[in-house]
């Protein structure tokens, strides 16, 4: 499978614990995005990278959230001191930006439940 | 802030009826993308529209991008039960790089 892959697919954690999600984008894609989606809502933008540079972060991304893409390939999203409100599906997406065409492909998501 | 509004929120149709969902942006878009998400699944890319007034068809699905590049629509002709899911539009703002999603339209098809 050459699509966007995410790991783990499901994570249940206790409030206050740290969690980390990993995303492997489509191999030739230079942009990588993180989104969050809760039930009944559309995905909300969190942050994106162009190669290894983090170019934009949403105000939704509190200081408990940190994302990295150290070598411009895979990315990690870490949530520290999780809260129940962090329960959501965390979606990673990637694209190969070229002019106005920037088709963005999503992974299957990582479901987080904070208990 | 940048907003993408999508209506209706929910539509329940009889199999064979048509379905349309509409998307409006508060600002001019560079491009718009449409996604379908099944319950428990992830957004699956359907199409991207870039040009003003562009119309694209995929079998029973017709996608339009408005002349002002601020609105778009998805029309499904003769719905089938396999069309059920949530349809999202998502726009990339001019001079922007991220997708801003609408809230989605949930389609249910009664056979």
């Amino acid at each position: 499978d050459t699509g966007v892959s995410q790991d783990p697919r499901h994570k249940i954690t206790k409030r206050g614990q740290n969690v980390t999600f990993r995303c492997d984008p489509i191999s030739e894609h230079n942009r990588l995005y993180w989104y969050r989606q809760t039930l009944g809502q559309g995905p909300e933008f969190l942050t994106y990278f162009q190669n290894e540079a983090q170019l934009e972060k949403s105000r939704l991304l509190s200081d408990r959230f940190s994302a990295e893409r150290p070598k411009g390939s895979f990315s990690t999203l870490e949530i520290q001191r999780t809260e129940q409100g962090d329960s959501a599906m965390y979606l990673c997406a990637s694209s190969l930006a070229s002019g106005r065409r920037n088709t963005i492909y999503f992974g299957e998501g990582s479901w987080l439940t904070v208990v | 802030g940048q907003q993408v509004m999508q209506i209706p929120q929910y539509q329940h149709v009889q199999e064979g009826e048509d379905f349309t969902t509409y998307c409006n942006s508060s600002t001019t878009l560079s491009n718009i993308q449409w996604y379908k998400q099944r319950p428990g699944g992830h957004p699956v890319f359907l199409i991207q529209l870039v040009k003003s007034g562009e119309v694209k068809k995929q079998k029973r699905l017709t996608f339009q991008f408005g002349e002002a590049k601020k609105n778009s629509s998805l029309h499904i002709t003769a719905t089938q039960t396999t069309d059920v899911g949530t349809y999202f539009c998502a726009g990339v703002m001019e001079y922007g790089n991220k997708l801003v999603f609408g809230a989605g339209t949930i389609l249910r098809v009664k056979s």
Side-chain angles (χ1 to χ4, degrees), chain A residues 18-59:
Chain A
N18 299 344
V19 297
T20 300
F21 299 112
R22 176 181 168 120
C23 172
D24 287 274
I26 294 170
S27 60
E28 66 270 22
H29 283 185
N30 55 355
R31 285 193 183 160
L32 186 147
Y33 305 79
W34 285 99
Y35 281 77
R36 180 171 66 189
Q37 186 177 25
T38 53
L39 276 174
Q41 303 295 319
E44 295 176 297
F45 171 79
L46 293 179
T47 188
Y48 95 95
F49 294 83
Q50 175 131 338
N51 300 313
E52 65 274 10
Q54 188 173 19
L55 295 187
E56 189 171 348
K57 288 171 62 170
S58 165
R59 279 169 280 179

Side-chain angles (χ1 to χ4, degrees), chain B residues 2 6 19 21 24 27 33 44 47-48 53 61 65 69 75 77 87 89-90 100-101 110:
Chain B
Q2 302 157 349
Q6 191 173 353
F19 160 76
T21 174
N24 280 285
T27 58
Q33 301 179 31
V44 174
I47 208 158
Q48 180 183 59
L61 278 61
F65 200 11
K69 299 183 74 173
H75 180 81
T77 304
Y87 292 85
C89 62
V100 178
F101 278 78
K110 191 166 46 177

Side-chain angles (χ1 to χ4, degrees), chain A residues 31 33 35 37 41-43 45 48 56 89 91 100-108, chain B residues 30-31 33 35 37 41-43 45 48 50 56 69 88 94 97-99 101-103:
Chain A
R31 285 193 183 160
Y33 305 79
Y35 281 77
Q37 186 177 25
Q41 303 295 319
F45 171 79
Y48 95 95
E56 189 171 348
M89 179 165 66
L91 289 159
R100 288 182 181 272
R101 296 207 172 270
N102 181 27
T103 304
I104 297 174
Y105 297 95
F106 284 83
E108 294 185 336
Chain B
S30 169
N31 68 75
Q33 301 179 31
Y35 293 81
Q37 186 172 24
H42 65 285
F45 174 77
Q48 180 183 59
V50 176
K56 285 189 175 179
K69 299 183 74 173
F88 290 101
E94 242 181 3
N97 294 302
K98 67 188 186 209
L99 276 176
F101 278 78

